[in-house]
């Protein structure tokens, strides 16, 4: 069976999952939290990971050296633009971004160096 980083890699490269994707030009992984919980952790039958809880999955990410990234939104001065950005930011709050220097779409071989702490 595949190790955690390899399972993650396969998911990101697969078109089967809508809840995870590469972002920042393949340097970060983005997860739509609600969709991920339903699509991946809530799967009937064939489990992808050995957990059904988001907290446990995030603990696994941390154990393999992934760090959660904060999204910085530049605020606009005009009220309509500001309100539109606020709406986008709250929609974005369900999106979690994780970074690991050894987990980069352009360098697949680096994922082999992702070791559990």
């Amino acid at each position: 069976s595949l190790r955690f980083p390899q399972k993650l890699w396969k998911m990101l490269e697969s078109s089967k999952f809508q809840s995870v994707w590469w972002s920042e030009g393949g340097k970060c992984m983005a997860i739509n939290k609600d969709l991920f919980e339903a699509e991946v952790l809530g799967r009937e039958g064939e489990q992808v990971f050995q957990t059904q809880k988001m907290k446990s999955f995030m603990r696994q990410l941390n154990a393999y050296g992934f760090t959660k990234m904060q999204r910085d939104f530049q605020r606009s001065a005009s009220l309509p633009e500001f309100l539109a950005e606020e709406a986008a930011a709250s929609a974005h709050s369900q999106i979690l971004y994780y970074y690991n220097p050894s987990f980069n779409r352009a360098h697949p071989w680096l994922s082999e160096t992702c070791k559990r702490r």
Side-chain angles (χ1 to χ4, degrees):
S1 78
L2 296 172
R3 288 175 41 242
F4 181 79
Q6 281 75 36
K7 286 181 187 178
L8 211 48
W9 189 277
K10 280 187 76 164
M11 279 184 76
L12 286 161
E13 291 295 313
S14 165
S15 59
K16 221 164 56 171
F17 300 96
Q18 307 303 300
S19 59
V20 291
W21 62 93
W22 292 105
S23 74
E24 304 297 324
K27 291 183 175 77
C28 286
M29 168 182 59
I31 303 170
N32 179 317
K33 187 176 173 288
D34 292 345
L35 188 56
F36 187 83
E37 287 179 297
E39 181 183 60
V40 179
L41 302 179
R43 283 184 89 159
E44 294 297 316
E46 185 192 338
Q47 288 287 304
V48 180
F49 299 104
Q50 294 173 346
T51 183
Q52 294 177 319
K53 293 186 171 70
M54 192 67 189
K55 212 169 192 169
S56 300
F57 175 76
M58 289 159 73
R59 224 176 277 126
Q60 279 277 81
L61 286 172
N62 293 329
Y64 279 93
F66 285 84
T67 52
K68 192 173 177 185
M69 307 293 289
Q70 296 303 320
R71 304 302 285 165
D72 296 323
F73 290 99
Q74 295 297 319
R75 298 293 183 213
S76 292
S78 79
L79 185 60
E81 281 181 39
F82 177 79
L83 293 173
E85 286 170 5
E86 281 298 298
S90 72
H92 252 280
S93 69
Q94 286 304 309
I95 311 287
L96 307 172
Y97 296 89
Y98 281 90
Y99 169 78
N100 182 325
S102 301
F103 205 79
N104 186 315
R105 188 177 197 176
H107 309 292
W109 60 90
L110 283 177
S111 72
E112 292 297 320
T113 66
C114 280
K115 300 279 186 252
R116 196 175 170 87
R117 288 183 182 159

